[in-house]
Amino acid sequence: MTNNIATPVTSETHTNDLAFLARIDNDEKIEACDWMPPDYRKMLIRQVSQHAHSEIIGMQPERNWLTRAPSLQRKSILLAKIQDEAGHGLYLYSVTETLGADRKSLVDALLDGRAKYSSIFNYPALTWADMGAIGWLVDGAAIVNQVSLCKTSYAPYARAMIRICKEESFHQRQGFDILWTLVHGSDAQKAMAQDAVNRWWWPALMMLGPHDSNSQHSEKSMRWKIKRISNDETRRRFLTQTVPQLEALGLTAPDPDLNYDEEAQCYRHGDIDWDEFQRVIAGNGPCNKQRLQTARTARDNQSWVLEASAAYTQNQSKQTMH
Amino acid sequence: MKNSILYEVFVRAASSSSHHHVGSLRAANDEEALLNARDLYARRNEGVSLWIVRSGNVITSAPNEQTSLFETEGKAYRYPAFYPVPKGVKNL
């Protein structure tokens, strides 16, 4: 713990802090009603709400292909996946409410462009093969992160992650299945699969966050066991399980420096273009403006449903009173 | 039992698990219900937390909606096992 002379802490807070850290060190889970340091609460609301926003915005690249999925079966699968993403967003917003956050304020912050969400969803889904690459690579990367979050110290978040991981496993498999089908099709279909992998490969590595040495919130988050595995370790795990799958597909990664480290028994990637990552995070990726505009339009166009529901409820209660 | 209220009892068995419904009880008020829940459902260190809810406040689905609400026939694609994993491919 850092000693900040400018802001003296009361001895009571200090005792609470120490007791809290002891619980964390003991691998105890923190429940909504338990005492927690204000910064722990704040950090969780930030992380969980960003996670929720990512699920909600993440529906958009796939929605783009719903009407053009190549068969009724593929359409049903894509629809089921998008429905899961919406559900994941809602599980996570409900976790933020256990922390005392106001769901509407969080959603407003997203729609006003004040809140962050995963960089990955600011890239366009240009072809059908992108549905495969998103499911396999993007959900694959997300799963590695989410599996580690099943052990996060905040119990309501951990419970939501366990549920989410269970549902995610079909997402990754259907993505791989789309690519597997394409690579066993015509030359043009195989080329389409390779093109999608070329475009999603680097963004999928970037979405796991900056290198540990540059990660702003990591140290405190790891200390409190909100986050259990560092960004670089998550990336290493993702790469090591994904490269053999890439080879099974007969496709290649757009990384000439990708190599297997015999000693560490893992794959190593080449340099990541962090300027691109920063650009996308700052709101200047290929689709940032379009994503927020679509989300705002959806809110505006669908507000009548909420209004109608409220009006109906009011009428019903009037009728019961008479 | 005159004027007593029916409550549903939920127990969190261990830290990190969610509360599970264990049964119901009757009590005159919320405080008494919590005490009774402890005596009735947690005499042997069964849990770390209790929730009690007035039974009248529980909103349930109707038994005859069982099929319409939970029908999943023809939706096997929502499960990972629907997708064959090619031989030799791991960690999917």
Side-chain angles (χ1 to χ4, degrees), chain A residues 20-39:
Chain A
F20 182 81
L21 279 177
R23 292 192 65 193
I24 295 287
D25 288 340
N26 201 25
D27 267 337
E28 282 176 42
K29 297 291 175 194
I30 309 304
E31 291 290 347
C33 306
D34 297 348
W35 186 88
M36 61 186 88
D39 277 354

Side-chain angles (χ1 to χ4, degrees), chain A residues 166-224:
Chain A
K166 215 169 140 192
E167 296 177 351
E168 284 278 359
S169 54
F170 118 67
H171 298 181
Q172 194 190 12
R173 282 216 194 167
Q174 66 84 36
F176 188 84
D177 187 62
I178 289 172
L179 292 178
W180 185 263
T181 306
L182 286 173
V183 298
H184 290 91
S186 67
D187 288 349
Q189 284 171 319
K190 187 169 181 186
M192 191 198 270
Q194 180 64 63
D195 169 65
V197 169
N198 289 348
R199 284 182 288 105
W200 289 93
W201 184 265
W202 286 111
L205 287 179
M206 285 177 204
M207 71 179 268
L208 296 170
H211 281 313
D212 299 346
S213 49
N214 296 324
S215 184
Q216 209 186 336
H217 303 283
S218 275
E219 200 183 330
K220 211 166 191 184
S221 183
M222 298 277 281
R223 178 68 191 88
W224 278 331

Side-chain angles (χ1 to χ4, degrees), chain A residues 79 139 249:
Chain A
L79 196 57
D139 287 47
L249 287 166

Side-chain angles (χ1 to χ4, degrees), chain A residues 107-146:
Chain A
V107 174
D108 285 347
L110 169 68
L111 297 178
D112 296 348
R114 284 178 283 126
K116 284 186 177 144
Y117 56 88
S118 178
S119 56
I120 195 80
F121 301 118
N122 294 309
Y123 292 86
L126 300 177
T127 70
W128 172 249
D130 288 31
M131 296 304 96
I134 290 175
W136 171 55
L137 279 178
V138 175
D139 287 47
I143 288 168
V144 177
N145 182 41
Q146 291 174 338

Side-chain angles (χ1 to χ4, degrees), chain A residues 28-29 31 73-74 76-77 80 83-84 136 155 159 166 169-170 172-174 176-177 180 241 245 248, chain B residues 12 14-19 51 74 77-92:
Chain A
E28 282 176 42
K29 297 291 175 194
E31 291 290 347
Q73 170 122 301
R74 292 287 188 200
S76 306
I77 293 169
Q83 194 180 21
D84 278 355
W136 171 55
R159 288 193 287 269
K166 215 169 140 192
S169 54
F170 118 67
Q172 194 190 12
R173 282 216 194 167
Q174 66 84 36
F176 188 84
D177 187 62
W180 185 263
Q241 76 174 40
Q245 296 166 357
Chain B
R12 186 201 303 288
S15 125
S16 90
S17 67
S18 48
H19 288 78
W51 280 357
Y77 55 81
R78 285 179 188 267
Y79 300 91
F82 179 77
Y83 306 89
V85 177
K87 225 177 157 187
V89 176
K90 286 181 201 150
N91 297 313
L92 264 182

Side-chain angles (χ1 to χ4, degrees), chain A residues 230-267:
Chain A
S230 79
N231 295 351
D232 287 331
E233 173 58 16
T234 309
R235 205 166 4 245
R236 192 190 64 78
R237 289 186 188 184
F238 166 60
L239 204 60
T240 301
Q241 76 174 40
T242 303
V243 175
Q245 296 166 357
L246 179 76
E247 287 166 353
L249 287 166
L251 299 174
T252 56
D255 179 0
D257 297 324
L258 181 69
N259 68 87
Y260 189 70
D261 182 337
E262 289 286 349
E263 202 176 319
Q265 302 218 326
C266 68
Y267 282 91

